[in-house]
Amino acid sequence: MDATQLDRLVAQIGEELLARIPVSGGHAPNAEGLNVADMVCPGCTRRCAQTCTRKTKEIIAAGADRVSTTGKLIKVDPDIAAMIDHTVLKPEATRDEIVKLCAEARQYNFASVCVNPYWVPLAASELKGSKVLVCTVVGFPLGANPTAIKVAEATDAVHHGAQEVDMVINVGALRSGDYDAVKHDVQAVAEAVHRGGAILKVILENALLDDSQKVMACALCKLAGADFVKTSTGFAKSGATAHDIALMRAAVGPEMGVKASGGIRTLADLKTMAAAGASRIGASASVKIMQESAA
Amino acid sequence: MDATQLDRLVAQIGEELLARIPVSGGHAPNAEGLNVADMVCPGCTRRCAQTCTRKTKEIIAAGADRVSTTGKLIKVDPDIAAMIDHTVLKPEATRDEIVKLCAEARQYNFASVCVNPYWVPLAASELKGSKVLVCTVVGFPLGANPTAIKVAEATDAVHHGAQEVDMVINVGALRSGDYDAVKHDVQAVAEAVHRGGAILKVILENALLDDSQKVMACALCKLAGADFVKTSTGFAKSGATAHDIALMRAAVGPEMGVKASGGIRTLADLKTMAAAGASRIGASASVKIMQESAA
């Protein structure tokens, strides 16, 4: 029997035992709305319901419903995790950091990992078999690339496994009043991305726009067939604000997504953005946010 | 007679008069080593030897050899101007700002304008007929794009008129020790750029590297056939330092170019970099530097 087979057997035995063992304190985990798939072991980097089943079951069997120190269990809120694009876009990120990012995303069941396009094949490989999507960026973070290159970059990324693409709008063209160029830019990338079965978020980089430019950008993105508008790259002088989220939500209506990103470091930040109308959150502090949510 | 024809006639008359009029004070401009082509009128945005000939000639005829207030003449140092890539890479730059950048580059005879790839066709058009080159950036400013996309972006830029390409090295791959990937990335872009008759500078983004990584990057760029190594994108937490320029010059030897960029705002900064071994300077404060050199 090899290690994988052993892991599987342990998981099966764990599931079987869990079904039989009454939890001390008189309540079964399920009665508390707990779900093993929503419980993760911060001490490892894989889903507890799979390789950590034994440890998970032991702790649950002992009566825990949430434990947050290393090697123990925390209960995560799947609705919060499902909002988060777990993000590393700093240029100096190494292969090991991308692998760790993907492991954390599996562990917490984040919506996606968001990585620079060079790392898409690695992320796709690391996340194979999980529900975590691969998100990447295009024309990032300046947006001042020709449309043909943004299309080529998006097409290449989707071909290598990206399921979500966050492109940067052409800020300079927008500020020059070249609205046809801006719309065409988004439309061409949207078509390329959709052809590959992926979705498109468009980063407006609000720090560089006034409110009327933000609203115009939203309108152009909607006309061009984008799926989301997104506040920020994280590389400008400021990031998401509740004001901007509310403005963007009003501009695009309920049927499009609105992603808040840039400077979202706490659970309170996330909740503020969600309350203002954000349907997705981009964050690098995602693990800290999840730990806060379990505290 | 239209405005262009009138301009031409004025220029011709100006040239003719200049040849005939003795300069007050008993010395002809040429006797002072002055050259009309090196004298610019800060009050306008075109070369004085062309449309500002009349004003130029009047002031020279009155005995000036350098005047620096608006609407008058300054004498510029062509050796300093020829070192400078006059740069606007901020994403919010508008069409008008790019046009102004090109006009300033014509006026001061800078080595090139350095613009984001979206603006290459505009810059090429604005600089037609001048000696100022069009420089653009590739994989900028993060460098974390697949090689195929960097090659496509460089090829497209050269096709649209770029004569110099500043690419960003794959910092993450370098820091991961994936040296073959880094070298292949530079080599592929170098080949594409050279095929189009342009040259390649490679931005190391020194702020993210230690000294041994900087030296390794220089070695890889040299092996890969790059023409220059360059310190910084201007988007990281720090830019060019004399220490780094000396290190890079030592690493690549005398036959390659070394470009200092990021945070060079004064003539003293420029001279410090040149003394340390820089052969080219990237700056947005180029006009201010030239005015300082004439002061």
Side-chain angles (χ1 to χ4, degrees), chain A residues 113-210:
Chain A
V113 295
C114 186
V115 296
N116 275 308
Y118 177 72
W119 297 115
V120 164
L122 176 62
S125 160
E126 290 294 311
L127 292 169
K128 207 168 174 181
S130 83
K131 288 179 183 167
V132 180
L133 303 177
V134 176
C135 173
T136 192
V137 290
V138 157
F140 190 88
L142 306 185
N145 315 80
T147 297
I149 300 305
K150 288 182 178 177
V151 168
E153 190 167 39
T155 304
D156 181 82
V158 171
H159 175 73
H160 284 96
Q163 294 138 306
E164 302 202 341
V165 170
D166 293 12
M167 74 175 278
V168 184
I169 206 165
N170 191 320
V171 180
L174 180 71
R175 286 170 50 107
S176 302
D178 296 343
Y179 301 133
D180 281 349
V182 175
K183 183 183 157 219
H184 170 253
D185 192 49
V186 176
Q187 191 162 6
V189 179
E191 285 168 6
V193 163
H194 292 158
R195 253 195 312 276
I199 67 161
L200 179 67
K201 315 189 195 99
V202 184
I203 307 171
L204 309 188
E205 198 66 299
N206 286 333
L208 305 176
L209 305 178
D210 64 28

Side-chain angles (χ1 to χ4, degrees), chain B residues 223-253:
Chain B
L223 288 169
D227 302 285
F228 271 76
V229 285
K230 174 177 168 182
T231 60
S232 315
T233 62
F235 286 81
K237 62 181 185 293
S238 60
T241 66
H243 165 87
D244 283 350
I245 293 293
L247 189 69
M248 291 160 74
R249 173 55 72 201
V252 300

